[in-house]
Amino acid sequence: RYISTFRPSVKHEIEKNKAQWKTMGPTKVAVPSPKNFLQKHSKEPKLPARKEQQNHKKLPALSVPRRTDVPVMGIRSQKNFINTNAVAAITRLPKKPQPICVDKRQGDKYVLETSGLLPKYIKKKDYGVTPKYITCRNEEMKRAQKEYEASILENLKKNAMKRLSDEERISLLQGLKKNWEEVYHEFQGLSVKIDTIPKKIYKGKLESQLKQLEHDIEVIEKHKVIYIANE
């Protein structure tokens, strides 16, 4: 039987690169020590140790006296309150009486200033003055009205009406009558029996032309003065 000469080297490389735990596991397994047993609360998270505050912050000063503070006793003021009160009462301006109103027989009194009966608003500086927003709005409205009127005048100038002269009116009337005679001549030339659709359509077209021409002739004959728009 043939045996390769590279068999030992291949075997050695396979054993060298093969992990032990890919087949039956490692040859020697470390046995845990009986001292390392699971203890109570051993898996709970632990907080870091508290650091002692080196820099003690000063407490804010209290606005009230402490319990241990003793009030200062024996201090007397040299001010004569009786004389100062008397001088203040003499030099003080007299107090104006508060205006009141009585609206019932029983004499029920109400302060007039807060009752709404006193027209204080007429004493304001801006009383009767038109607010700024209203003046601005009125100016805008006037400007828009002027622009609108200017545009209308411009359109009227462009589309100004022109009066037809008597010669033009007579020539227009004659032309309409001549057209009516031509259309009427074509209408009389129609066949007596109109049995096809094209004949019916042509007859209706001629009739509508005749009606329109008759209406135009009647309008021009009725109105002696005619205005037309300049295009």
Side-chain angles (χ1 to χ4, degrees):
R1 188 176 64 163
Y2 171 75
I3 298 173
S4 175
T5 55
F6 300 102
R7 185 176 181 182
S9 61
V10 171
K11 205 177 215 182
H12 177 68
E13 288 181 2
I14 290 171
E15 291 178 357
K16 182 180 178 181
N17 298 327
K18 185 172 70 172
Q20 296 177 354
W21 53 84
K22 286 188 177 179
T23 56
M24 297 297 292
T27 55
K28 293 182 180 181
V29 180
V31 181
S33 176
K35 295 181 180 180
N36 299 330
F37 58 89
L38 183 63
Q39 297 180 357
K40 188 177 181 180
H41 305 295
S42 61
K43 292 188 177 182
E44 293 180 358
K46 295 181 180 180
L47 297 173
R50 183 177 181 182
K51 296 181 180 179
E52 295 182 359
Q53 296 181 357
Q54 296 180 358
N55 300 327
H56 296 285
K57 295 183 179 179
K58 293 183 179 180
L59 296 175
L62 298 175
S63 60
V64 296
R66 297 177 182 273
R67 184 173 57 86
T68 57
D69 292 346
V70 180
V72 181
M73 305 294 289
I75 298 176
R76 292 184 179 181
S77 176
Q78 300 296 329
K79 184 178 180 181
N80 192 347
F81 291 95
I82 296 174
N83 293 337
T84 54
N85 291 338
V87 171
I90 293 169
T91 58
R92 188 183 303 149
L93 294 173
K95 189 177 180 181
K96 293 183 179 180
Q98 193 175 15
I100 58 175
C101 63
V102 180
D103 59 349
K104 290 184 180 179
R105 276 185 174 180
Q106 288 79 7
D108 296 335
K109 297 179 180 179
Y110 299 96
V111 180
L112 185 62
E113 188 176 358
T114 58
S115 64
L117 301 174
L118 190 66
K120 297 194 302 181
Y121 55 88
I122 63 175
K123 298 180 181 179
K124 293 183 178 179
K125 293 182 180 180
D126 56 349
Y127 175 73
V129 180
T130 307
K132 291 184 178 179
Y133 74 95
I134 293 180
T135 55
C136 295
R137 187 183 299 172
N138 292 337
E139 290 177 359
E140 291 178 359
M141 291 175 63
K142 289 179 181 177
R143 184 170 60 253
Q145 185 68 22
K146 288 181 180 179
E147 293 177 357
Y148 176 71
E149 290 176 357
S151 63
I152 289 176
L153 290 173
E154 188 176 357
N155 292 331
L156 289 175
K157 288 180 181 179
K158 289 182 180 178
N159 302 325
M161 305 299 288
K162 179 184 176 183
R163 179 179 176 180
L164 284 179
S165 61
D166 295 337
E167 293 80 4
E168 292 176 346
R169 177 176 168 276
I170 293 171
S171 63
L172 179 62
L173 188 60
Q174 291 177 355
L176 290 173
K177 289 181 178 180
K178 184 178 180 182
N179 292 338
W180 183 86
E181 290 177 357
E182 292 177 357
V183 175
Y184 186 70
H185 181 70
E186 293 180 3
F187 183 78
Q188 286 182 338
L190 293 174
S191 59
V192 178
K193 186 178 181 181
I194 300 175
D195 52 354
T196 59
I197 295 176
K199 289 182 180 180
K200 292 180 181 179
I201 294 172
Y202 186 61
K203 181 184 177 183
K205 181 180 177 181
L206 293 176
E207 288 177 351
S208 62
Q209 289 181 359
L210 288 172
K211 287 181 181 180
Q212 184 64 35
L213 289 170
E214 289 174 358
H215 177 265
D216 296 340
I217 291 168
E218 184 181 358
V219 169
I220 293 175
E221 287 180 347
K222 183 177 180 181
H223 299 90
K224 302 298 181 182
V225 179
I226 299 173
Y227 291 89
I228 59 174
N230 290 331
E231 297 181 357

